[in-house]
Amino acid sequence: MTLIIVAIIVVVLISWIISVQRRLVAMDENINNAMSQIGVQLSSRFDALTALLDLTKGYAAHEATTLIETIKSRRSVITATSTPQDVLKQEGVISEALGRISMVAERYPELKANENYAKCMNAVDSYEKMVRTSRLIYNDSVTKLNREIRMFPVSLLAAPFGFHARDYLEAVEEKADMPSMK
């Protein structure tokens, strides 16, 4: 009888450990997916930004060429394994480029009035909204994982299974000071 009780306790304990590990893996994968989505949207935003830069070539060829080369050299791909700092660095590159494009557009009102310029700016803004939504999803997923691995008794299993607290994507302060692109 004692052997049966011990066997039941062992089976319950092993089932619980498997359940915890599976739940932590699912949460970790949600974070990786959210980071990948941010990467896809930042890539699309870079593409829209490149189209915008192509439009500025006709007005300020030297500035546009220099900016395109700068962006190409500083651009990196955001993947599931990227860190929040990688995302912030890429958003900084985009913000800098948008600021410089805005300066060119102020000097050339006909550029600002160009229909293609307006379409590209709308695309850049649209991707920015998607990035913001994905940032919220990422941070929500990080909160769930961090909360789970800090709570007893899961905290006993998290580190041995290789799970650790993840960093949040912090707000970019420069975005509040960005000039209007319209």
Side-chain angles (χ1 to χ4, degrees), residues 89-104:
K89 194 172 10 172
Q90 288 306 290
E91 288 181 340
V93 171
I94 291 172
S95 295
E96 178 186 336
L98 286 172
R100 289 175 62 185
I101 290 170
S102 177
M103 288 189 296
V104 170

Side-chain angles (χ1 to χ4, degrees), residues 1 5 25 33 46 55 65 72 108-110 115 117 136 165:
M1 184 65 161
I5 292 173
V25 166
N33 180 46
F46 267 112
L55 286 172
T65 304
K72 284 181 181 176
Y108 300 97
E110 60 275 14
E115 184 180 330
Y117 176 86
L136 292 172

Side-chain angles (χ1 to χ4, degrees), residues 66-130:
T66 304
L67 193 51
I68 288 171
E69 292 306 315
T70 302
I71 287 173
K72 284 181 181 176
S73 69
R74 293 176 55 197
R75 181 179 180 179
S76 64
V77 177
I78 302 299
T79 65
T81 58
S82 296
T83 65
Q85 290 74 26
D86 296 334
V87 172
L88 291 176
K89 194 172 10 172
Q90 288 306 290
E91 288 181 340
V93 171
I94 291 172
S95 295
E96 178 186 336
L98 286 172
R100 289 175 62 185
I101 290 170
S102 177
M103 288 189 296
V104 170
E106 289 299 320
R107 281 189 271 153
Y108 300 97
E110 60 275 14
L111 171 62
K112 218 173 184 178
N114 184 314
E115 184 180 330
N116 289 332
Y117 176 86
K119 286 179 183 178
C120 287
M121 279 312 306
N122 286 338
V124 169
D125 289 342
S126 175
Y127 288 121
E128 170 59 20
K129 289 174 186 166
M130 287 189 252

Side-chain angles (χ1 to χ4, degrees), residues 15-29:
S15 296
W16 175 76
I17 290 171
I18 291 170
S19 171
V20 166
Q21 190 270 346
R22 292 173 62 86
R23 193 168 62 243
L24 291 174
V25 166
M27 290 176 179
D28 194 52
E29 284 303 312

